Amino acid sequence: MKKKKHQHILTATQLVSAIVLVVVMITINLVAHYWHHEEVVFDEDIVDETPAVVPSGTRLFAFDPNTADSLTLLQLGLRPWQIKNMMKYRAKGGRYKQADDFRKLYGMTDSAFAALKPYIRIDSTAWVARRDSLRQLRFERDSLKHIADSLRRDSIYSARGYIVKRDTIIELNSADTTSLQYIRGIGSYTAKAIIYYRNQLGGYVSPQQIREIKQLQDYKVNFDSIIPHLTAERDSVARLRVNYIGVERLQRHPYLSFTQAKAIYELRRNKFYLKSIDDLRGLNCLTDEDIRRIEPYLSFEK
């Protein structure tokens, strides 16, 4: 009798397992094959950071480390990374003021510096000129900023109705109460008193006359801080026409009493008209000081 042959057939599950096993083995072999051949990339700056060396036989030449370009520095033996650092240093305003400063360059060896030092030529005049120009630019920038800040502050204060105090010169006979208040130490009350006394006088011939204002004396105004900021145009004073006015008008002037005004009037009546201030010197009621004070306010025209 013939024996039947046994056929070994894999099931679907066994087939899938076999394929997975084969794939895993292939992957492991590939990883093992390429693992030790992975390329390592280093930072160029780290690899190239070797000190500057002047090659033997190199023809050296004079150079200024403050103005030399990169090609010139390469020809002198400096490394690219050193040149890059130099350019950054110069771009930020750094300067080599003397030859020995070049030794401080990172990576500069004693031997390389000794070889290069005799060829270093630093133009100090150009550096000083650039430094001075930078200082001038900074000064102008700061000045413009200060002006801009002042204008901005003044505009804000003005918009809010405040008077912005500042150092200025004011002419007393043309100023109003608002302009007077720009001076430190003068408020609304002081400004009104100054204008009122100006109207009584007919105008100021000297800023010192504000010391005569009784209200300000009582108010304890600091005249010494105010007066340097005031001027008085003497020609703008209103004069009293002595030959045409009466006692009442004369006595309204702060420098004349009723007795003095009457004496001047009577003198003018007796002489028909007065020619000059000298005609008043004979009056017993007027002292030399009285005449000195009143003289700018009198006119003797016919």
Side-chain angles (χ1 to χ4, degrees), residues 172 189 195 220 226 234 259 265 288:
L172 281 169
Y189 179 83
I195 297 298
K220 297 182 179 179
I226 293 175
R234 191 185 184 98
T259 302
Y265 176 75
D288 290 340

Side-chain angles (χ1 to χ4, degrees), residues 220-235:
K220 297 182 179 179
V221 170
N222 188 352
F223 294 108
D224 292 335
S225 66
I226 293 175
I227 289 176
H229 299 281
L230 300 173
T231 61
E233 295 292 338
R234 191 185 184 98
D235 294 338

Side-chain angles (χ1 to χ4, degrees), residues 168-170 172 180 183 186 194 207 210 226-232:
T168 186
I169 302 297
I170 300 293
L172 281 169
L180 284 172
I183 299 175
I186 296 182
I194 291 174
I210 69 171
I226 293 175
I227 289 176
H229 299 281
L230 300 173
T231 61

Side-chain angles (χ1 to χ4, degrees), residues 171-182:
E171 203 282 312
L172 281 169
N173 294 325
S174 59
D176 55 19
T177 55
T178 300
S179 59
L180 284 172
Q181 290 180 71
Y182 282 110

Side-chain angles (χ1 to χ4, degrees), residues 42-264:
F42 295 93
D43 191 322
E44 181 182 350
D45 288 344
I46 297 176
V47 173
D48 195 37
E49 271 195 12
T50 54
V53 176
V54 179
S56 58
T58 300
R59 183 180 178 182
L60 299 177
F61 49 85
F63 71 100
D64 187 342
N66 292 317
T67 57
D69 57 25
S70 56
L71 180 60
T72 299
L73 297 172
L74 277 173
Q75 292 173 342
L76 292 169
L78 269 67
R79 303 299 184 189
W81 58 269
Q82 287 180 305
I83 298 173
K84 183 179 179 181
N85 290 340
M86 280 185 64
M87 295 303 176
K88 287 182 179 179
Y89 174 69
R90 282 160 40 174
K92 293 180 180 179
R95 286 294 178 268
Y96 298 96
K97 299 179 183 179
Q98 54 189 3
D100 289 338
D101 292 342
F102 195 57
R103 176 65 184 85
K104 300 175 184 178
L105 179 65
Y106 181 68
M108 179 64 66
T109 62
D110 292 337
S111 58
F113 177 70
L116 293 172
K117 183 177 180 179
Y119 298 93
I120 296 175
R121 304 285 188 273
I122 295 178
D123 186 357
S124 59
T125 57
W127 180 85
V128 170
R130 186 175 185 277
R131 179 199 61 191
D132 293 344
S133 65
L134 287 174
R135 287 179 178 175
Q136 181 63 25
L137 287 173
R138 292 192 190 100
F139 173 77
E140 292 176 357
R141 178 199 62 193
D142 294 341
S143 298
L144 290 173
K145 184 177 182 298
H146 176 71
I147 293 172
D149 291 343
S150 298
L151 290 174
R152 180 176 177 274
R153 185 187 67 248
D154 289 0
S155 63
I156 292 173
Y157 271 66
S158 297
R160 294 177 180 176
Y162 297 122
I163 299 296
V164 181
K165 303 296 184 179
R166 58 175 179 263
D167 291 334
T168 186
I169 302 297
I170 300 293
E171 203 282 312
L172 281 169
N173 294 325
S174 59
D176 55 19
T177 55
T178 300
S179 59
L180 284 172
Q181 290 180 71
Y182 282 110
I183 299 175
R184 293 181 178 86
I186 296 182
S188 175
Y189 179 83
T190 303
K192 290 178 181 178
I194 291 174
I195 297 298
Y196 179 77
Y197 193 58
R198 179 184 71 187
N199 294 336
Q200 287 185 307
L201 286 170
Y204 292 99
V205 295
S206 169
Q208 297 291 339
Q209 287 175 285
I210 69 171
R211 295 180 184 272
E212 302 166 3
I213 304 174
K214 184 66 168 59
Q215 301 97 305
L216 300 188
Q217 295 173 2
D218 296 340
Y219 198 54
K220 297 182 179 179
V221 170
N222 188 352
F223 294 108
D224 292 335
S225 66
I226 293 175
I227 289 176
H229 299 281
L230 300 173
T231 61
E233 295 292 338
R234 191 185 184 98
D235 294 338
S236 61
V237 170
R239 295 173 179 266
L240 300 174
R241 302 175 68 185
V242 178
N243 292 311
Y244 294 92
I245 60 176
V247 176
E248 183 180 355
R249 179 66 186 90
L250 282 169
Q251 73 167 350
R252 288 207 300 264
H253 196 279
Y255 290 166
L256 292 174
S257 66
F258 173 77
T259 302
Q260 292 170 331
K262 186 177 180 181
I264 294 173

